Structures are given as structure tokens and as C-alpha cells.
């Protein structure tokens, strides 16, 4: 799985997890949507030797989802830090690729809204 960052001019920036298949992305996204409470999340991105980890927490500090050992592109995270303030709204979704295009999987919830992240934090070890 891979952590991806998409920056836009005219809509909220996106943070996502790319899954190898539509089925895996959909099942995992359903699990997130079932746990999701109304209101925004906080995202903690930690970079380590085995890749990145992403923790999504509620505003009360309850851990909702934890993604471990994610591949990532350092350039995307540098752009995230450079162009997106920590308290700027991001949207989050699970994604899969099909024919070089990225899609949010269909889930049993009808037209779910993307998860809102109101605050993100990026923790990097020395030397990144």
C-alpha cells in the first residue's frame, strides 16, 4: 500500500492510501466509514525505516485507523509541508488504480462523503 498526496488549487487537498485492488480498498474503506464519527479527524504521519505510518484520530484522541509500513514518495510529503498548513482541511480516502487512473471504491454506503482531516502532523526522523 502507498500513501499519496494530491494538491489542488480549487478544492481541498487529498491524502489517500492506494490499495492493490478495488476489493481491498472497498472493504477497508467500509471499516473506516463504520468507525467514523461525525466531525473531522487528526492525521499523524510518521516516517520510519520500514516506510510511513498514518494514524487517524478523532478530535477526542481516540484512534480510529492505523496504517503501517506504507510506501511513500518523499517529494509528495515535502510539497505537503511546503504548501499545506498543518491546520488546513484535507480530504482522505482509500484509492485503487485501474488503467493508470485512481478511483475511490464503491462501498455499501450510498455516496459517502470523503473523510475530513482538520489537522495533520508529519514526524520525520533526523536526516529526512
Amino acid at each position: 500500500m502507498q500513501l499519496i498526496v494530491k494538491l489542488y488549487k480549487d478544492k481541498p487537498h487529498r491524502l489517500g492510501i492506494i490499495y492493490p485492488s478495488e476489493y481491498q480498498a472497498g472493504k477497508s474503506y467500509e471499516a473506516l466509514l463504520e468507525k467514523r464519527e461525525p466531525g473531522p479527524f487528526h492525521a499523524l504521519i510518521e516516517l520510519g525505516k520500514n516506510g510511513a505510518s498514518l494514524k487517524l484520530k478523532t478530535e477526542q484522541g481516540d484512534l480510529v485507523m492505523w496504517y503501517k509500513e506504507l510506501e511513500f514518495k518523499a517529494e509528495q510529503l515535502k510539497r505537503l509541508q511546503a504548501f499545506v498548513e498543518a491546520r488546513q482541511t484535507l480530504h482522505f480516502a482509500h484509492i485503487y488504480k485501474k488503467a493508470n487512473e485512481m478511483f475511490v471504491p464503491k462501498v455499501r454506503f450510498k455516496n459517502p462523503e470523503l473523510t475530513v482531516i482538520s489537522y495533520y502532523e508529519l514526524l520525520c526522523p533526523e536526516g529526512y
Side-chain angles (χ1 to χ4, degrees):
M1 294 189 311
Q2 180 182 352
L3 178 66
I4 188 166
V5 177
K6 289 287 188 179
L7 303 179
Y8 299 99
K9 285 185 179 182
D10 56 347
K11 58 185 178 179
H13 307 300
R14 289 191 181 179
L15 190 62
I17 305 293
I18 299 177
Y19 281 80
S21 72
E22 180 180 7
Y23 177 78
Q24 290 171 315
K27 280 302 198 189
S28 185
Y29 200 42
E30 277 185 11
L32 172 64
L33 294 174
E34 287 173 352
K35 292 180 181 181
R36 177 172 85 174
E37 298 176 9
F41 286 92
H42 294 205
L44 176 62
I45 304 167
E46 294 180 80
L47 304 183
K49 293 178 184 176
N50 296 327
S53 67
L54 171 67
K55 295 177 187 175
L56 292 180
K57 297 180 179 184
T58 63
E59 298 221 340
Q60 295 77 26
D62 301 331
L63 181 65
V64 175
M65 287 293 259
W66 189 0
Y67 307 87
K68 299 178 185 178
E69 298 181 3
L70 299 170
E71 295 175 15
F72 67 95
K73 293 182 180 174
E75 185 59 37
Q76 288 183 352
L77 295 179
K78 287 177 184 175
R79 287 188 12 233
L80 176 69
Q81 279 189 302
F83 298 111
V84 181
E85 296 176 17
R87 296 204 177 270
Q88 191 172 346
T89 299
L90 298 166
H91 284 167
F92 175 79
H94 291 190
I95 302 165
Y96 68 97
K97 283 186 176 183
K98 185 175 182 180
N100 284 338
E101 289 189 55
M102 290 187 238
F103 299 94
V104 175
K106 293 180 182 177
V107 294
R108 64 182 169 94
F109 301 97
K110 296 212 178 207
N111 299 322
E113 293 183 17
L114 296 177
T115 301
V116 175
I117 295 173
S118 64
Y119 176 81
Y120 82 90
E121 188 175 357
L122 180 59
L123 301 177
C124 305
E126 300 250 349
Y128 263 100

